[in-house]
Amino acid sequence: MAHQAPLKYIFYIAATPEKVWEGFVSQESNRIIFSGAEFQADFKPGGLLAWMGAGPDGKPMTYVRGKVLRFEPPKVFQYTFAMGQNDKPSRATIELVPETEATKVAVTHDEWADDDATYTACADGWPRILSRLKTLLETGKTFKPH
């Protein structure tokens, strides 16, 4: 079994930590950056969260589900992450640090189960999601995913 290395990304977004935080947690911005997905979350440790929408057959499905581990606005948002029917949750940590004219966004996605099939999708997905969020917050619009 192969060990899955942590996925780590750093982006700088020309916005305040509060605005970037809102970008990660608001239903509206999640709907925009996740192509219409509905984001539901109980923002407290132990609270559940999920991104849901229409599946390939048009029926409702859960894309990602998890549990809030840390919720410290506007600094740290950490949660478990299970994509689709995967029953092996990993952990996503979003840390925001104010810079002079921007916010440093550090994302670490770790605690992967060996040979987790969703690892490759997440390695491809995080840069796209962060780029879409950066574009949205800096320009007020974003681009369609692939």
Side-chain angles (χ1 to χ4, degrees):
M1 296 236 177
H3 175 72
Q4 309 283 22
L7 300 173
K8 295 182 179 190
Y9 305 96
I10 293 180
F11 273 64
Y12 293 86
I13 299 177
T16 65
E18 291 78 11
K19 187 173 178 184
V20 175
W21 183 266
E22 187 67 16
F24 276 107
V25 302
S26 80
Q27 287 183 340
E28 180 182 354
S29 65
N30 274 274
R31 195 174 298 119
I32 293 168
I33 63 176
F34 292 109
S35 303
E38 291 298 321
F39 180 53
Q40 297 179 355
D42 182 7
F43 294 121
K44 64 182 181 198
L48 300 179
L49 56 82
W51 285 266
M52 299 173 295
D57 59 2
K59 293 181 181 175
M61 68 173 283
T62 300
Y63 303 130
V64 173
R65 68 191 181 294
K67 188 182 300 183
V68 176
L69 301 172
R70 290 175 63 193
F71 191 77
E72 303 166 18
K75 296 178 182 174
V76 179
F77 183 22
Q78 183 180 66
Y79 52 93
T80 63
F81 180 102
M83 185 182 288
Q85 299 303 311
N86 188 358
D87 60 354
K88 303 172 188 173
S90 52
R91 180 180 68 177
T93 305
I94 299 164
E95 297 176 279
L96 306 182
V97 178
E99 296 272 328
T100 304
E101 293 184 11
T103 298
K104 178 182 178 182
V105 179
V107 173
T108 304
H109 197 150
D110 60 4
E111 295 189 357
W112 294 95
D114 287 343
D115 296 329
D116 185 327
T118 64
Y119 181 87
T120 302
C122 290
D124 180 61
W126 273 115
R128 292 174 188 277
I129 289 162
L130 293 168
S131 294
R132 288 171 57 81
L133 179 63
K134 175 178 174 56
T135 303
L136 176 65
L137 294 176
E138 292 178 351
T139 71
K141 58 186 176 185
T142 194
F143 53 91
K144 292 184 188 296
H146 65 95

